[in-house]
Amino acid sequence: MDAATAAAYHDSLAKALSAGSAVLKRHGNALDAVEAAVKVLEDDPLFNAGRGSAFTAEGKNEMDAALMDGATLAAGSVAGVQFTRHPVSLARAVMEHTPYVMMVGAGADAFSRAQGLEQQPPSFFFTELRWQEFASVMRASGRPVPPRPAGVGSATGPAASSASPMFAHRFGTVGAVARDSEGHLAAATSTGGMQGKLPGRVGDSPLIGAGTYASDRSCAVSGTGVGEYFIRLTLARQICTLVEQGHPPQQAADHMIHAELPALKGGEGGVIVIAPTGHLVWSSNTLGMFRAKEEQGSLPAIQVK
Ligand code: ASP
């Protein structure tokens, strides 16, 4: 990756970190902090969430997001939403304004409008680089590249090549975990999912216990990788179970990411984790996972990816 691209990633992670840490510094809660951090990353086209999301085989964005409050085990999530600028905030609205944990598709989009959350057309979420990456995934799997989304002009700017950072950065799901000054934990995750997924496919990110989990009794986790494997292992919850059983968080995360995940052929990914002590760990079995963290001993702490 060239220096300018690396600087752009660092810059974006620093912004997300400071949005979350600003909440914690004014004694806001961990849930507000992770939502604030993820919103910054959803707006950044570098990442596969919100603006810059991956495309379904039909060339549409179907975004998934979740968040969880470690203090109460309250959780909210959405899958397959198409128009909400900040899917993580829609997940929070599901948690706070419905008796449900999860809403999907057209019903979730309608709920988003009813809640007055900001709606955007497909052209808002579209980025040329992500589209080129998508087109190459479709070609590589022998599938036709669908027409560009309505409202998006013809190709402009540099086309992605296999050397593009977007290709090196295969996943790009965003997430945050935090501990607040009261000692409560929270986790949030947001994604456009896998490039070229069939319409209706849902990954691990919005599934509580798979790509996202938080409990004050153990830890908070946000994952990225091939969602199907995270789902089959209930990976985020499993890390927390190991921590509850007395394993150090690093050991628990490494066991799931470096032993259990690759034991399922094709299991690739990584996690960020925070423990009730404020201790932040991460683990990844992929080429890389962009991440940033801020910790102050046993005081508030936050990690983003
Ligand atoms: N875990 C996400 C999914 O399977 C993809 C990613 O992490 O980029 O939908």
Side-chain angles (χ1 to χ4, degrees), residues 48-90:
N48 172 16
R51 229 179 127 227
S53 279
F55 297 93
T56 68
E58 293 180 348
K60 295 189 174 149
N61 300 122
E62 290 186 357
M63 300 171 285
D64 303 339
L67 86 183
M68 185 160 185
D69 179 357
T72 60
L73 302 189
S77 83
V78 290
V81 297
Q82 296 192 43
F83 307 105
T84 303
R85 176 174 171 184
H86 291 298
V88 70
S89 300
L90 180 55

Side-chain angles (χ1 to χ4, degrees), residues 219 235 238-244 247-258 260 271 273 281 283:
C219 59
L235 193 135
Q238 196 55 33
I239 290 175
C240 294
T241 299
L242 291 171
V243 171
E244 269 167 39
H247 296 272
Q250 186 70 64
Q251 206 184 78
D254 285 343
H255 175 72
M256 293 309 297
I257 297 296
H258 293 292
E260 302 283 348
V271 286
V273 181
V281 306
S283 189

Side-chain angles (χ1 to χ4, degrees), residues 168-195:
H169 191 194
R170 261 193 67 204
F171 300 115
T173 286
V174 306
V177 292
R179 174 194 188 274
D180 61 30
S181 57
E182 306 270 295
H184 298 309
L185 305 185
T189 311
S190 183
T191 188
M194 302 294 285
Q195 286 283 31

Side-chain angles (χ1 to χ4, degrees), residues 170-171 194 201-205 207 209-211 223-238 256-257 259-271 285-286:
R170 261 193 67 204
F171 300 115
M194 302 294 285
R201 178 265 185 187
V202 176
D204 60 310
S205 309
L207 298 182
T224 181
V226 185
E228 282 66 22
Y229 299 91
F230 280 62
I231 295 170
R232 288 162 64 194
L233 291 168
T234 53
L235 193 135
R237 179 67 180 100
Q238 196 55 33
M256 293 309 297
I257 297 296
E260 302 283 348
L261 198 53
L264 302 182
K265 203 163 167 290
E268 272 187 278
V271 286
N285 68 17
T286 61

